[in-house]
Amino acid sequence: MQSPARAQISGTPGEFAWGGAAGTAFWVDPVEQMIVVFMTQIMQMGLPSPDPIRRELRTLTYSAVIE
């Protein structure tokens, strides 16, 4: 990530991430010395997307470590 403000998500410049199948995701933030792995299985038709859950996880995680 180059700009959290531009991406409109919590984070710091220099972090990297990947979203995988069935809603799994991870991100690494070298500035905060943090690695987050999110494992879920949401892949059925008609279920909500895991994106709001991922965003909420990021918000809660960064609000816990950044003062």
Side-chain angles (χ1 to χ4, degrees), residues 2-54:
Q2 295 177 342
S3 172
R6 182 184 282 170
Q8 298 180 346
I9 59 174
S10 301
T12 60
E15 77 175 52
F16 53 95
W18 185 264
T24 60
F26 83 90
W27 77 88
V28 177
D29 187 332
V31 173
E32 295 298 330
Q33 298 182 348
M34 176 170 51
I35 299 170
V36 177
V37 178
F38 179 60
M39 305 295 284
T40 186
Q41 292 293 306
I42 300 176
M43 201 167 188
Q44 296 175 350
M45 298 297 289
L47 290 178
S49 165
D51 289 338
I53 299 169
R54 289 181 189 171

